[in-house]
Amino acid sequence: DTGVSQNPRHKITKRGQNVTFRCDPISEHNRLYWYRQTLGQGPEFLTYFQNEAQLEKSRLLSDRFSAERPKGSFSTLEIQRTEQGDSAMYLCASTVLAGGYEQYFGPGTRLTVT
Amino acid sequence: SQQGEEDPQALSIQEGENATMNCSYKTSINNLQWYRQNSGRGLVHLILIRSNEREKHSGRLRVTLDTSKKSSSLLITASRAADTASYFCATDARDSGYALNFGKGTSLLVTP
């Protein structure tokens, strides 16, 4: 257990529905990252926050995706109008920049879009 | 697109043997990190090597970095069945906010 938690762990939804995932980072970590991982691939970067500010978004993050980190604590990732191609493991990681840049990953949320 | 490419894609060895995995990357980096992932426990950080370092050790792990060749290797000595997992190298850079750029991974199977 790295100290980063994600909920739910699994989500099955029908195409066209909206879903929201939550990530609770290690409390003193100021940076929070979201990644997506599909079967047989390494994780791919989606977006990151420095405290409550969203500083960068990958081109993978289409307009249907939105992420927030209110008050610089937990973060949410919402996918609107889900598509089958959104099926993946969504991973959250946190770090303290002054601490050496290693990231601590949560267990992930596995999304299946039917 | 993914920056790193691990080699081999899959590796099968017996307990007690050493396992070597290689990683190549394309752009300038600040750090290169290795992570392990198995189905039950998610991604776990193993070791980080900075761009100005050439070699680093941590327990049974040895990492090398050759920035001129844009490559790194991970050596696991005296492997154990519990080392069975997928291993990923990941690079980061200040310009991209130290977001990790992962390869596709090496799947390691250690048999008793």
Side-chain angles (χ1 to χ4, degrees):
Chain A
D1 184 2
T2 62
V4 178
S5 61
Q6 291 186 247
N7 289 287
R9 295 290 304 274
H10 303 274
K11 179 72 177 177
I12 301 174
T13 191
K14 293 185 177 178
R15 188 177 55 185
Q17 298 293 306
N18 299 343
V19 293
T20 300
F21 312 139
R22 176 175 170 133
C23 170
D24 286 89
I26 295 171
S27 59
E28 61 268 26
H29 284 186
N30 52 11
R31 282 245 171 143
L32 187 149
Y33 298 82
W34 284 99
Y35 297 88
R36 181 176 71 184
Q37 184 177 24
T38 54
L39 200 61
Q41 303 292 315
E44 295 177 291
F45 166 71
L46 292 177
T47 188
Y48 84 89
F49 293 83
Q50 172 78 21
N51 299 314
E52 67 275 9
Q54 187 174 17
L55 296 185
E56 187 163 336
K57 292 190 276 189
S58 158
R59 58 180 168 75
L60 292 176
L61 215 66
S62 76
D63 291 344
R64 297 184 297 105
F65 287 69
S66 62
E68 294 183 340
R69 193 184 181 197
K71 303 178 183 177
S73 55
F74 71 91
S75 177
T76 58
L77 178 68
E78 181 183 15
I79 308 175
Q80 295 183 329
R81 304 180 304 282
T82 52
E83 301 172 355
Q84 287 189 317
D86 296 331
S87 294
M89 178 75 86
Y90 290 84
L91 296 163
C92 165
S94 68
T95 190
V96 176
L97 266 195
Y101 314 105
E102 58 262 39
Q103 297 186 14
Y104 295 82
F105 281 81
T109 295
R110 181 168 296 283
L111 173 67
T112 302
V113 181
T114 61
Chain B
S1 62
Q2 298 192 294
Q3 154 108 293
E5 290 288 338
E6 284 91 342
D7 171 54
Q9 289 188 342
L11 181 60
S12 181
I13 59 174
Q14 292 189 315
E15 271 191 324
E17 294 181 337
N18 296 342
T20 300
M21 290 161 253
N22 302 297
C23 166
S24 60
Y25 59 92
K26 298 174 185 173
T27 60
S28 297
I29 64 171
N30 277 76
N31 307 290
L32 187 142
Q33 308 184 37
W34 286 89
Y35 286 81
R36 180 183 68 212
Q37 185 177 42
N38 52 29
S39 58
R41 307 188 64 177
L43 270 163
V44 175
H45 178 264
L46 296 176
I47 193 166
L48 178 150
I49 186 165
R50 302 188 191 285
S51 59
N52 61 356
E53 298 176 315
R54 293 297 167 256
E55 187 170 316
K56 202 161 183 180
H57 296 254
S58 177
R60 295 184 295 114
L61 305 180
R62 172 179 171 257
V63 171
T64 62
L65 178 64
D66 186 335
T67 52
S68 67
K69 294 181 180 178
K70 291 187 168 60
S71 67
S72 172
S73 68
L74 172 68
L75 169 67
I76 305 173
T77 59
S79 61
R80 306 166 181 167
D83 294 328
T84 295
S86 292
Y87 291 80
F88 295 92
C89 72
T91 57
D92 67 45
R94 182 183 175 191
D95 289 352
S96 56
Y98 299 104
L100 295 175
N101 205 331
F102 286 87
K104 293 184 179 181
T106 291
S107 179
L108 174 65
L109 174 64
V110 182
T111 54

